[in-house]
Structure formats: structure tokens, C-alpha cells
């Protein structure tokens, strides 16, 4: 069905509202002028200045490490939580467990950050890299759980049952049958968790400490004194990195889906 002119106009306005500011930021990252709102010609000078800014580079390295570690831990815990919620319909404390998994989705980040800060203070833990990692793992695992749970709800369990009937141990069945079929959802959850960690400012500002300044905190502290072209440069690199990640995840998900369909057909033929 061809969209109407009204639908096309609304869609164009929405895309323009979302992406024109990003395009302007990218364009002005190549601005030769020190004034971010005045075009002074094309230049890569601010990228060189950015690489020589040790504070920004240290913050970027901290952000990358926190994102990779928290996304991985959050994906593991979120996948286990999704398996528990889908495969075990009745167990003591299920309602409380479900509420704790879903709570970070609706809870304001200020509340989450403050509660984690009070926790770390109560147990006398020095705030730094690991406290930020724990905080990011806490609020990203719920997103992974939602994504993996949606895949498990449509999962054909007859393939697992066939493998178990043929003598495959439960652990081997999980790694050879279940895991490959839900892998696209797990990868998508990991990408979302990494992006959320990369973007977080509020929770990290509550749980960070000396030597663990993340890139969003660093950028925010500098922007309060005025936007500089090097901020545009590093934001452009982040946009490019996230874009490449999304494209790679999309391609990987499509290939995994094709592989899943092929494996399901092969398993059905083998069972038949």
C-alpha cells in the first residue's frame, strides 16, 4: 500500500527532526573555525586536537571498557533471567523476581543512580570503574531480558524435545539447539546494552569516582563551559561507530535468521 502524501510529510518531518541536528554536528566537526556556529572552511584540525586531548582519550577508553564488560555481563544475566521467566512459570517469589527485572525499565535513572550510590556507600565500596560497571550491568540486563524473552516465547520447543528424546543431555541440547536459535536476540540485546552503557550520563555520574570518568560525563562537563569543535569531532566518531555497529548487527541478525530457518528445516527433515 502506497503511503499518502500526509503520511509521507509527517514521516519526513519526523526524520528531519531526528537527524538534521546530527548532520549539522557532523558537518561542523570539519569546520576550520574555532567558532562552532561559523563555517570557516573544511579542516581535520579538530580531529588532531581531539586525539591529543589526553582527558578525552582516557574517558573514551574508560567508556569502552565499561560498555564492553557491562554489556557482556548484562547479556549473560538477562538471558538467564529470560530463560527463568519463560521456562519456569511457577516458583516461589516469581512475582517479586519479575518486578525486579522490569523495574529499571520504568524507574527514573536518578532514582536508580541514587539507590546504587547509597548501596555502595553502605557497603563501604570505593566508587570507580567497577561500581560504574556494576551499575550499568544492573540497568542494561533488563533490556536484554525483554528481548530474549520475546524470542523464547515464539521458540519451537519441539526441537529441544526431539533432541532430548534422542538422548542428548540438557546442557548439550541448550548449546547445540536452543542457543543458536536465540542467538540473534542475544546479539541484539548485547548491542542495545552496549549502546545504553555508552550513552549513560545520569547513573554513571552517581556511581563514578576518581579515575573512572566516562566520556558522556567528560563531554557534559566541557559543554557546560561552551561547545568546542573537538567535542563535535569525538561525537562524530561515536556516531560513526554506533552506525557501523548497527549495520553489522543488522547483517548478522539477517544471516543468523536465514541460518536458523535452514537449521529448523534440516531438523524437521531429520525427525521426519
Amino acid at each position: 500500500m502506497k503511503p499518502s502524501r500526509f503520511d509521507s510529510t509527517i514521516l519526513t518531518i519526523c526524520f528531519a527532526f531526528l537527524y538534521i541536528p546530527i548532520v549539522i554536528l557532523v558537518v561542523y566537526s570539519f569546520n576550520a573555525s574555532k567558532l562552532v556556529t561559523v563555517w570557516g572552511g573544511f579542516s581535520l584540525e579538530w580531529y588532531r586536537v581531539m586525539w591529543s586531548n589526553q582527558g578525552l582519550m582516557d574517558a573514551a577508553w574508560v567508556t569502552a571498557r565499561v560498555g564492553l564488560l557491562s554489556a557482556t555481563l548484562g547479556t549473560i544475566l538477562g538471558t538467564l533471567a529470560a530463560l527463568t521467566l519463560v521456562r519456569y512459570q511457577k516458583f516461589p517469589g516469581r512475582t517479586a523476581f519479575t518486578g525486579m527485572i522490569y523495574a529499571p525499565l520504568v524507574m527514573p535513572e536518578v532514582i536508580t543512580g541514587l539507590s546504587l550510590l547509597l548501596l555502595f556507600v553502605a557497603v563501604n565500596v570505593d566508587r570507580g570503574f567497577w561500581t560504574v560497571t556494576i551499575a550499568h550491568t544492573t540497568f542494561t540486563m533488563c533490556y536484554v531480558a525483554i528481548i530474549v524473552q520475546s524470542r523464547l516465547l515464539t521458540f519451537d520447543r519441539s526441537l529441544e524435545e526431539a533432541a532430548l528424546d534422542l538422548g542428548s543431555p540438557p546442557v548439550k541440547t541448550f548449546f547445540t539447539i536452543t542457543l543458536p536459535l536465540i542467538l540473534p536476540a542475544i546479539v541484539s540485546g548485547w548491542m542495545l546494552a552496549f549502546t545504553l552503557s555508552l550513552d549513560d550520563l545520569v547513573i554513571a555520574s552517581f556511581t563514578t569516582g576518581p579515575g573512572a570518568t566516562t566520556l558522556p560525563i567528560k563531554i557534559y562537563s566541557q559543554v557546560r563551559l561552551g561547545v568546542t569543535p573537538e567535542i563535535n569531532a569525538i561525537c562524530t566518531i561515536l556516531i560513526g561507530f554506533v552506525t557501523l555497529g548497527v549495520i553489522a548487527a543488522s547483517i548478522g541478525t539477517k544471516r543468523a535468521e536465514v541460518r536458523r530457518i535452514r537449521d529448523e528445516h534440516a531438523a524437521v527433515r531429520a525427525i521426519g
Side-chain angles (χ1 to χ4, degrees), residues 173-242:
T173 300
F174 174 78
F175 283 103
T176 58
I177 302 296
T178 308
L179 186 60
L181 294 178
I182 66 174
L183 188 60
I186 294 176
V187 173
S188 299
W190 188 93
M191 288 294 300
L192 179 59
F194 180 75
T195 302
L196 290 170
S197 176
L198 196 71
D199 179 64
D200 176 66
L201 171 65
V202 178
I203 295 178
S205 64
F206 278 97
T207 57
T208 191
T213 301
T214 61
L215 190 57
I217 295 177
K218 185 69 175 179
I219 292 175
Y220 178 72
S221 63
Q222 292 193 8
V223 167
R224 293 178 64 184
L225 302 176
V227 179
T228 60
E230 60 189 293
I231 297 297
N232 291 344
I234 196 167
C235 289
T236 299
I237 291 178
L238 284 175
I239 292 169
F241 179 76
V242 172

Side-chain angles (χ1 to χ4, degrees), residues 1 7-8 13 88 104 114 135 148 150 202 208 220 223 225 227 235 265:
M1 180 178 178
D7 294 336
S8 300
I13 293 174
Y88 303 97
L114 181 59
V148 177
S150 64
V202 178
T208 191
Y220 178 72
V223 167
L225 302 176
V227 179
C235 289
H265 289 169

